Amino acid sequence: MTRIMVFGTFDVLHAGHEHFFVQARALAKEPYLIASVARDLVAVRIKGSSPRHHESERLATVAAHPLVDKAVLGDEVGYVRHIVEEKPDVIALGYDQHGEYVDHLEKDLEEAELLVRVVRLKPHRPDVYKTSKLEQR
């Protein structure tokens, strides 16, 4: 079994997220997909606005998705602690994930003595399936 971890706010689950999960699972023969759901405070800091749904609702929705084996809340401060706890073999980043965490991810994982392969996944119709675009409809 290969533990694969993905990250997101997952405010409104849509076909883009489904494709994200499918791509992440395709990275291994026997995948175990762990989805890290962003805390409300972190989402505000990164995106500049509050998620539509509270973190507990988003966590429950992601946990119920048939492609997700386990859903966890991310850290409120930093991000490495919960990754170390979950011990993923692979971290699959979305095509549009960047910023404070992603920029230092590999260095921070190395400092935590965690050997993890980091991969970047491809977009799935980002002109349509992006939460910010869906909210404009």
Side-chain angles (χ1 to χ4, degrees):
M1 179 175 58
T2 302
R3 297 172 65 82
I4 302 164
M5 195 167 195
V6 297
F7 304 84
T9 303
F10 305 113
D11 202 15
V12 178
L13 278 183
H14 52 68
H17 291 124
E18 178 109 1
H19 191 261
F20 181 52
F21 297 154
V22 167
Q23 276 191 79
R25 293 184 70 83
L27 295 171
K29 214 179 250 189
E30 293 181 42
Y32 183 85
L33 185 63
I34 305 161
S36 172
V37 177
R39 303 301 296 252
D40 289 341
L41 292 173
V42 173
V44 169
R45 192 172 75 242
I46 291 174
K47 295 188 175 200
S49 61
S50 294
R52 181 181 295 176
H53 302 284
H54 186 271
E55 62 192 38
S56 61
E57 294 175 79
R58 294 182 288 112
L59 179 67
T61 300
V62 171
H65 195 285
L67 294 174
V68 174
D69 295 297
K70 182 177 183 181
V72 298
L73 282 174
D75 299 329
E76 284 189 293
V77 177
Y79 62 94
V80 175
R81 184 186 52 78
H82 82 293
I83 297 172
V84 170
E85 287 175 9
E86 295 303 327
K87 297 176 179 54
D89 301 296
V90 179
I91 289 179
L93 298 173
Y95 75 96
D96 62 345
Q97 291 179 317
H98 49 77
E100 62 184 279
Y101 297 145
V102 176
D103 294 345
H104 305 286
L105 179 61
E106 293 183 76
K107 178 181 77 60
D108 291 343
L109 293 172
E110 188 177 308
E111 286 178 7
E113 298 181 2
L114 199 57
L115 296 173
V116 181
R117 181 169 62 113
V118 178
V119 299
R120 179 75 66 174
L121 301 178
K122 297 183 182 332
H124 174 70
R125 300 193 56 204
D127 56 319
V128 177
Y129 297 114
K130 189 156 176 66
T131 304
S132 58
K133 292 189 185 293
L134 292 170
E135 288 174 347
Q136 293 172 358
R137 292 181 178 176

